[in-house]
Amino acid sequence: MATICPAVRPRLRGRSKFIRLPLAAAIHIACFSGAHAVEDADQVPQQSSAQQTAEKTTASLGEVTVTAQKRTENAQAVPLSIDVLSTDKLSEMNVNGLTDYVKMLPSVSIQSASPGFSQVFMRGVTSGSVGNNGVANHSASMPSVGIYLDEQPITTIQGALDLHIYDIQRVEALAGPQGTLYGASSQSGTIRIITNKPDPSAFAASVSTEINSISHGTMGYTVEGFVNVPLRENLALRVVGWNEHDAGYIDNVLGSRTYPTSGITADNKSRVHDAYNESWLKGARAALKLDLNDDWSITPTVMGQSQHNGGVYSFDPKIGDLKVSHGYPEWQEDRWVQSALTVQGKIGNFDLVYAYSHLNRSDWADQDYADYSFWYDTLAGYGKYLTDNNGNYINPGQHIHNEDIYSKSSHELRIASPKDERLRFVGGFFGERQSHRIFQNYQITGLATATSVTGWPGTFWLTKQHRVDEDYAVFGEASYDITDQLTATLGARFFHTENSLRGFFGWSTGYNSSQGEGICFSDYKFDGAPCTDVDQTTKQNDHVGKANLTYKFDKDKMIYATWSEGFRPGGINRRPGLAPYQADFLTNYEFGWKTEWLDHRLRWNGAVFQENWKDFQFAILGANGLTEIKNANQARIRGLETNLTWAATYNLTLSAGFTYLNSVLTSNYCGQTKPNGDPISSADCTDPSRPDLVPSTPLAPTGTRLPTAAKQKGNLSARYVFDAFGGEGYFQAAGFFEGRRRTDLRVAQNNLIGDMPGYASIDLSTGLKKDAWMFDVYLKNVFDSRGEINRYTECDISHCVQPRGDSNYGIFGQYYITPIQPRTIGLRVTRNFD
């Protein structure tokens, strides 16, 4: 994504300093042809209006610097499909968080049920995500997209950190497997969020305030600011802070339901609330940069954020648009602190980097789970087991209290040879350990002691577990210039991964003796649980590779061909009798191009690719709502991604991005695996001669599209700048569209819950920059589109959405839709200081 510099004029004197970017983390912005960077605009010779007009018509796109290959390089010289959102672009598009910048990245899709708990996918590499709220749960696979904050991985099992986007230098989206340099969980791509670094050369500060209003909802606000303070000529401190209140737009309306077994009717009178899903977020970041000498620097950073979400961010279409009817407490609290230390220096001509990070994250949540209770009572009469101590039926509605405590540490040491040498390399060592302590308490008010989990009154189901994921690797890439125009690159990563799960999950023997307390093999009261019924570990050693050929026609045009691999580690299934799921691998074949035309006014990049996904991990909510993960044979993704940026004139910049994906199964998914966890072959799905299998019709036959990702996704934007009131004004329009998406890989389940329909949305904004002030007015989702980013049920789809003719229960059961944010209007005022 390019940034256009205005022509240098005397009136810029007052604002040329406050728009400088920190030197230590600069995105190089090239000005228009014939203009020169200067410290004082008074030094620029006066020009005639004819000269100024001629200068305007020779606008060009700027160079964007990235570190995608762990070197500082011009993005146009990197043989990799990469989208870059610069500081200016993030500000221009009013980006605050994950969902804002994901819609600008055509190769990226998202599945979310609430802020802070989103799953990110790239290039259609997804089999869907599973959980009680429609996103990954604690026993699911590792994510397939790695997300980094500077040098530090911030991806946890249930989703990456959804940090507030402010004072960010750029966002880099690297499409395709990044297995050699970024390892596990960068199977289909990597997103890197690069912060602005402390700058010892000059003081700078800014503060911004915003108010906004959401249609069908309430008012919100944001206050954010930063200060960069030089402490000495080689030492600087940068402090950033934000406080945000997001308006709510989901209403919890009055409703009731009658449970078939007991005849008990329950309502939600005490929980009725308009704008149910308001959110409060606050956080800060502090970084210190010490230049020991010309070659060595140390940058410690600490960043923290606290977010409280009320209610839910999805609605029940049977009840009404943007409405639910829930009777139990619902809220989420997400708090995290990320500490990091980066040491950079030189040994001779070689660059050395050591990066350490430590993340502590704590999530608490209460959730209404009465849908599960109602539909299992309807189907199986489970309410007959739920009585008080006197044997009387009770309201069987469940509600959950969750606590997830994460601790994640990583170390990386790497060395890179000089990038201007004919033979150059980057390589290093990486180690990471992630700990996840899990607590889930499924409660039923008034439940009999005999049916409650021992030691936990009123608890129908208890999960108390400790999951640990470890990853250790050695990696490297080497490039050789065969000629001045042709370069070859080879890379590899050798890794060791481990996954362990220990603790307790299940019922008391008073309800079910085949799980929970009934199958405990140890009396050890894990973290307060009654006993231990799961204790397993799986390990794997393997490697992935990369090969690339790049040909440069000239400094502005190149093509490349890449073969690359990515992977996700395997793990433990907590359900007894299920084998561990194995690592899955993605192999990518890609041809791409990067070009600039018309004297750097037009930039056109793109890639075509095929990705083969071997033995991919597929998760479902199985019996009793337990997550099951199995390896599911093969899939193939063929696609095209392209982006175009055109500096049409000095005043007008146009940009567009588009991705087309054809992601399908290339063998039947049968829902079964061999005893050792290997997927069975496509033909074996219906082979009655196989004694180790239960013959069945494929749950998803060859040719079935993969869920979540659309065939088409794209965006188009136009920005027009003009002189106004002695400053610079602008108008901007941006459109986004995403095609139809399946909700489930399995045919029957997808038919029950339905596809997510395609949608389009438009954003408009206008503003003025004058001296040290900036004023912006924006309108997001102008036509109030109800675009869907998730569709889910609380229990297995075939139970929660079982078709039935009885009008008491409805025809389609119960499912939820998570919409994009309704129409939002906002006003932002910014004051810069230098």
Side-chain angles (χ1 to χ4, degrees):
M1 299 292 179
T3 304
I4 308 299
C5 297
V8 181
R9 301 178 181 175
R11 67 175 174 81
L12 291 183
R13 182 178 183 179
R15 69 184 179 92
S16 61
K17 293 180 181 178
F18 72 71
I19 64 170
R20 290 184 207 138
L21 299 176
L23 299 178
I27 296 179
H28 224 44
I29 301 179
C31 291
F32 299 118
S33 177
H36 300 277
V38 293
E39 290 300 319
D40 194 326
D42 286 341
Q43 298 174 8
V44 180
Q46 296 298 312
Q47 297 174 309
S48 68
S49 59
Q51 288 174 315
Q52 293 181 22
T53 301
E55 188 176 64
K56 291 180 183 180
T57 61
T58 57
S60 65
L61 298 174
E63 178 182 303
V64 179
T65 301
V66 297
T67 52
Q69 297 190 120
K70 308 213 171 185
R71 296 176 180 272
T72 301
E73 301 171 286
N74 178 0
Q76 285 299 103
V78 178
L80 173 69
S81 181
I82 177 172
D83 281 310
V84 183
L85 306 177
S86 68
T87 301
D88 289 343
K89 192 69 175 180
L90 293 168
S91 176
E92 291 168 5
M93 302 301 291
N94 303 295
V95 171
N96 286 327
L98 178 66
T99 55
D100 288 330
Y101 67 77
V102 162
K103 72 180 182 181
M104 301 167 61
L105 302 171
S107 294
V108 183
S109 55
I110 189 173
Q111 190 176 41
S112 178
S114 62
F117 300 89
S118 302
Q119 290 289 301
V120 180
F121 310 102
M122 296 185 77
R123 284 189 171 178
V125 181
T126 168
S127 59
S129 192
V130 65
N132 292 334
N133 60 356
V135 296
N137 84 1
H138 55 81
S139 295
S141 304
M142 294 288 285
S144 63
V145 173
I147 300 185
Y148 281 70
L149 176 64
D150 292 322
E151 296 283 349
Q152 299 84 41
I154 57 172
T155 311
T156 58
I157 296 160
Q158 289 183 263
L161 303 182
D162 189 358
L163 59 93
H164 182 71
I165 300 297
Y166 176 70
D167 195 43
I168 298 299
Q169 189 186 96
R170 65 185 181 273
V171 175
E172 301 175 2
L174 289 58
Q178 306 298 320
T180 53
L181 292 183
Y182 293 96
S185 291
S186 284
Q187 180 184 52
S188 61
T190 301
I191 295 176
R192 305 180 69 240
I193 302 168
I194 311 299
T195 62
N196 284 321
K197 305 301 188 296
D199 177 9
S201 69
F203 172 86
S206 179
V207 63
S208 178
T209 60
E210 175 186 318
I211 57 171
N212 54 66
S213 176
I214 298 182
S215 294
H216 322 284
T218 55
M219 299 282 291
Y221 65 82
T222 300
V223 179
E224 54 195 7
F226 80 87
V227 59
N228 182 89
V229 182
L231 302 176
R232 293 168 52 185
E233 63 179 11
N234 65 336
L235 180 65
L237 173 68
R238 193 177 191 96
V239 179
V240 186
W242 56 92
N243 190 342
E244 178 181 343
H245 169 55
D246 293 332
Y249 48 87
I250 300 292
D251 296 336
N252 192 18
V253 300
L254 182 64
S256 64
R257 66 188 351 159
T258 300
Y259 290 88
T261 297
S262 63
I264 293 175
T265 298
D267 62 46
N268 67 333
K269 289 180 182 178
S270 63
R271 299 290 170 185
V272 172
H273 194 291
D274 290 341
Y276 191 43
N277 62 321
E278 291 185 293
S279 176
W280 292 262
L281 180 148
K282 57 185 177 181
R285 183 178 79 245
L288 188 71
K289 187 172 187 293
L290 172 63
D291 295 324
L292 301 176
N293 52 40
D294 291 341
D295 293 332
W296 287 87
S297 67
I298 300 175
T299 307
T301 305
V302 61
M303 181 175 182
Q305 183 172 281
S306 173
Q307 182 166 9
H308 178 88
N309 302 323
V312 293
Y313 284 73
S314 306
F315 66 92
D316 183 338
K318 288 187 62 180
I319 294 178
D321 182 38
L322 303 179
K323 291 178 173 59
V324 295
S325 182
H326 286 179
Y328 292 99
E330 291 183 300
W331 57 270
Q332 300 165 331
E333 187 85 24
D334 180 27
R335 298 179 184 175
W336 55 265
V337 176
Q338 170 95 351
S339 303
L341 175 68
T342 303
V343 180
Q344 296 175 285
K346 286 185 175 293
I347 300 178
N349 291 328
F350 291 83
D351 295 318
L352 188 72
V353 176
Y354 168 69
Y356 164 77
S357 70
H358 181 75
L359 170 68
N360 284 322
R361 183 183 190 185
S362 300
D363 296 332
W364 301 270
D366 277 356
Q367 179 186 346
D368 185 300
Y369 202 48
D371 289 358
Y372 175 97
S373 306
F374 177 78
W375 292 108
Y376 271 90
D377 191 30
T378 301
L379 288 171
Y382 109 120
K384 64 187 176 184
Y385 302 102
L386 305 178
T387 63
D388 59 20
N389 285 330
N390 296 319
N392 301 313
Y393 283 133
I394 58 174
N395 178 354
Q398 294 186 39
H399 49 105
I400 313 171
H401 178 71
N402 301 324
E403 295 181 14
D404 294 281
I405 310 299
Y406 300 93
S407 178
K408 181 173 184 174
S409 295
S410 68
H411 302 264
E412 180 170 303
L413 178 66
R414 68 175 184 269
I415 190 168
S417 64
K419 63 181 180 181
D420 55 357
E421 295 291 334
R422 188 170 186 178
L423 175 64
R424 53 201 177 274
F425 71 87
V426 59
F429 302 91
F430 176 83
E432 177 181 88
R433 184 181 189 273
Q434 180 174 194
S435 168
H436 182 189
R437 292 195 172 273
I438 306 155
F439 171 40
Q440 293 189 317
N441 187 348
Y442 291 69
Q443 303 168 61
I444 298 177
T445 303
L447 186 64
T449 303
T451 317
S452 300
V453 174
T454 302
W456 293 81
T459 296
F460 184 61
W461 173 285
L462 178 69
T463 299
K464 273 281 193 175
Q465 295 176 335
H466 185 202
R467 173 174 174 169
V468 177
D469 291 89
E470 298 182 68
D471 175 21
Y472 304 97
V474 56
F475 64 90
E477 286 189 5
S479 298
Y480 180 71
D481 295 332
I482 300 171
T483 69
D484 291 341
Q485 295 175 292
L486 183 63
T487 301
T489 299
L490 293 174
R493 188 181 192 97
F494 295 86
F495 61 85
H496 170 81
T497 61
E498 296 185 19
N499 171 262
S500 64
L501 186 66
R502 297 178 175 87
F504 174 84
F505 74 105
W507 297 286
S508 72
T509 54
Y511 176 72
N512 189 321
S513 61
S514 64
Q515 288 189 18
E517 293 185 62
I519 60 169
C520 283
F521 53 79
S522 170
D523 291 334
Y524 176 63
K525 298 182 182 297
F526 185 87
D527 208 11
C531 52
T532 299
D533 61 359
V534 59
D535 187 352
Q536 290 183 275
T537 300
T538 184
K539 303 178 182 180
Q540 184 167 9
N541 296 302
D542 216 318
H543 65 277
V544 290
K546 175 183 177 180
N548 171 274
L549 277 176
T550 301
Y551 185 81
K552 297 180 180 178
F553 295 95
D554 56 42
K555 63 183 181 65
D556 296 330
K557 300 173 182 65
M558 77 173 188
I559 57 175
Y560 65 88
T562 299
W563 166 85
S564 57
E565 294 180 309
F567 74 99
R568 280 188 303 177
I572 298 300
N573 269 302
R574 58 176 175 158
R575 181 183 288 281
L578 289 184
Y581 56 94
Q582 302 177 8
D584 57 0
F585 291 82
L586 185 73
T587 303
N588 174 56
Y589 304 92
E590 180 174 336
F591 173 79
W593 62 92
K594 294 196 169 183
T595 63
E596 290 189 350
W597 308 80
L598 305 177
D599 294 326
H600 303 283
R601 290 174 54 197
L602 178 66
R603 177 177 296 150
W604 179 40
N605 298 337
V608 292
F609 55 87
Q610 176 170 309
E611 297 182 330
N612 298 329
W613 199 6
K614 181 182 178 182
D615 301 343
F616 67 88
Q617 297 166 13
F618 180 58
I620 64 169
L621 284 179
N624 312 120
L626 281 180
T627 300
E628 300 178 6
I629 305 172
K630 299 178 181 180
N631 294 87
N633 281 332
Q634 323 303 320
R636 183 194 65 221
I637 301 96
R638 289 176 175 165
L640 162 71
E641 54 197 16
T642 185
N643 59 76
L644 188 73
T645 306
W646 181 30
T649 68
Y650 165 81
N651 304 86
L652 179 63
T653 303
L654 304 173
S655 62
F658 175 76
T659 292
Y660 174 82
L661 298 171
N662 181 18
S663 51
V664 298
L665 289 177
T666 52
S667 62
N668 295 330
Y669 169 63
C670 309
Q672 303 178 68
T673 59
K674 298 177 183 178
N676 64 354
D678 289 340
I680 64 175
S681 68
S682 180
D684 289 337
C685 198
T686 56
D687 184 358
S689 66
R690 289 290 305 274
D692 56 329
L693 303 174
V694 179
S696 66
T697 301
L699 301 182
T702 299
T704 301
R705 281 180 53 200
L706 299 183
T708 304
K711 277 191 174 182
Q712 309 92 5
K713 182 184 178 186
N715 60 69
L716 176 68
S717 67
R719 185 177 180 85
Y720 182 80
V721 298
F722 54 90
D723 295 333
F725 306 104
E728 182 180 273
Y730 76 91
F731 291 118
Q732 180 174 280
F736 310 91
F737 71 91
E738 190 166 8
R740 195 174 190 87
R741 290 139 292 149
R742 293 175 61 88
T743 51
D744 199 285
L745 178 68
R746 299 163 296 174
V747 173
Q749 283 78 359
N750 189 79
N751 289 341
L752 286 172
I753 198 171
D755 289 347
M756 291 182 284
Y759 70 93
S761 67
I762 294 175
D763 295 353
L764 301 175
S765 60
T766 186
L768 174 70
K769 298 180 182 180
K770 180 176 172 57
D771 299 324
W773 291 89
M774 290 183 283
F775 305 89
D776 300 273
V777 178
Y778 66 82
L779 187 60
K780 295 183 178 181
N781 193 5
V782 173
F783 298 105
D784 200 23
S785 166
R786 224 36 106 238
E788 298 181 17
I789 57 176
N790 199 6
R791 187 180 283 210
Y792 65 90
T793 63
E794 282 187 354
C795 57
D796 181 75
I797 293 172
S798 61
H799 293 152
C800 272
V801 199
Q802 186 73 255
R804 62 192 75 250
D806 190 334
S807 59
N808 291 327
Y809 305 133
I811 297 175
F812 296 111
Q814 198 137 20
Y815 67 89
Y816 296 89
I817 293 172
T818 308
I820 63 174
Q821 186 167 296
R823 180 172 51 241
T824 305
I825 185 170
L827 168 66
R828 183 172 64 244
V829 180
T830 302
R831 175 69 161 92
N832 296 283
F833 305 87
D834 59 359

